[in-house]
Amino acid sequence: MRLDIFTQVPHAFAWMTEQRPLAAVLGTELELRLFNYRDTTPLRSGQVDDEPYGGGAGMVLRVDVVAAALDAVYGSSPDQRVIALTPQGRPLTQSVVEELAAEPALTLLSSRFEGFDERIVTHLASDAISIGPYVLSGGELPAMVLLDAIGRRLPGALAEGSGEHESFSTELDGGLEYPHYTRPAEFRGWTVPEILLSGDHGRVDEWRKAQSRERSADRMGTG
C-alpha cells in the first residue's frame, strides 16, 4: 500500500516511522510519502494560506496551493482516493479503517485548524474523514491517527493473531474488548477474577465474550 500525506509539517511524522507497528511494515507492506505544501506553492515566500472571504479570524489553506501540490505529485487527477481530514467528514470507525486498509493507495490532505477552502473538500478531495467532533490545532494529528490505524492492519504489523480479539474486531462482533489482568494475582486487595485462574479455557472464553458484550452494551447505553 502507498500512503501519501500532504501537510505543512512533514517532520511531525518522523517519530512514528521508528515505532512499531508502523516501523514493521514501512518499506515492505507500506510506502509512506510526505509532501509539504510549501514546496510547490504558487505563492511567494512559501505562503500557503490566506484570510477568508467575508472576514473572520484565522487563516485558510488555499485551493490553488493544494491543487498545485496534487498536480506536482500526480500530474493530473489522482487515480486514488483523496481524503480531506476535517470535522465535516464521516466519522472514523474500525469498519472505515478496514475499508481504507484494503485500498492499494490513499492520499491524505491535512490543514491547520478547520482551515480548508471549501473547494478543496468539494472538488479536490473524493472523501472526507473526521476523527471526532472537536477541532485540533492541525490536521497532522488526524493524519497520524489514520496512518497508525491503517498501518497496524497491514500484514506483518502485528504479531500473528494479536489483532483478532481487539475492540471493534469481527471476533467481538464489532464490540469492545474484554478486560485483561496479569500478575500479581492480588495487589492492594485488588484481585484477578477467579475464573481467569481456573485453567478452564472454555469457561474463560465464555466469560470474556460476556464481558465484551456487557462493556459494549454499557458504551451504547443499552446495558
Side-chain angles (χ1 to χ4, degrees), residues 2 25-26 58 84 87 100 119 126-127 129 147 163 168 207 219:
R2 190 185 73 225
V25 294
L26 277 175
L100 298 179
R119 291 167 292 183
S126 54
D127 197 355
I129 288 178
L147 170 61
F168 316 119
W207 179 86
R219 182 174 182 269

Side-chain angles (χ1 to χ4, degrees), residues 6-13 36-38 48-50 57-62 66 85-88 109-117 120 135-142 144:
F6 290 77
T7 171
Q8 296 176 52
V9 195
H11 63 269
F13 296 83
N36 192 334
Y37 294 119
R38 299 187 189 281
V48 297
D49 50 17
D50 208 343
M59 301 290 279
V60 175
L61 185 63
R62 288 176 48 145
V66 176
L85 299 169
T86 167
Q88 307 166 46
L109 303 179
S110 68
S111 181
R112 306 299 294 171
F113 305 99
E114 291 185 88
F116 281 118
D117 182 305
I120 297 170
V135 179
L136 297 169
S137 296
E140 288 73 33
L141 289 174
M144 289 179 191

Side-chain angles (χ1 to χ4, degrees), residues 83-93 128-134 142 146:
I83 301 171
L85 299 169
T86 167
Q88 307 166 46
R90 57 185 177 131
L92 181 63
T93 63
I129 288 178
S130 167
I131 65 167
Y134 45 82
L146 199 50

Side-chain angles (χ1 to χ4, degrees), residues 51-128:
E51 297 177 351
Y53 282 122
M59 301 290 279
V60 175
L61 185 63
R62 288 176 48 145
V63 63
D64 53 347
V65 168
V66 176
L70 293 173
D71 288 347
V73 174
Y74 305 113
S76 58
S77 297
D79 57 3
Q80 62 203 50
R81 195 181 313 198
V82 178
I83 301 171
L85 299 169
T86 167
Q88 307 166 46
R90 57 185 177 131
L92 181 63
T93 63
Q94 190 59 37
S95 62
V96 172
V97 170
E98 302 294 341
E99 168 196 327
L100 298 179
E103 296 276 348
L106 291 170
T107 294
L108 305 184
L109 303 179
S110 68
S111 181
R112 306 299 294 171
F113 305 99
E114 291 185 88
F116 281 118
D117 182 305
E118 187 64 17
R119 291 167 292 183
I120 297 170
V121 180
T122 56
H123 297 292
L124 296 181
S126 54
D127 197 355

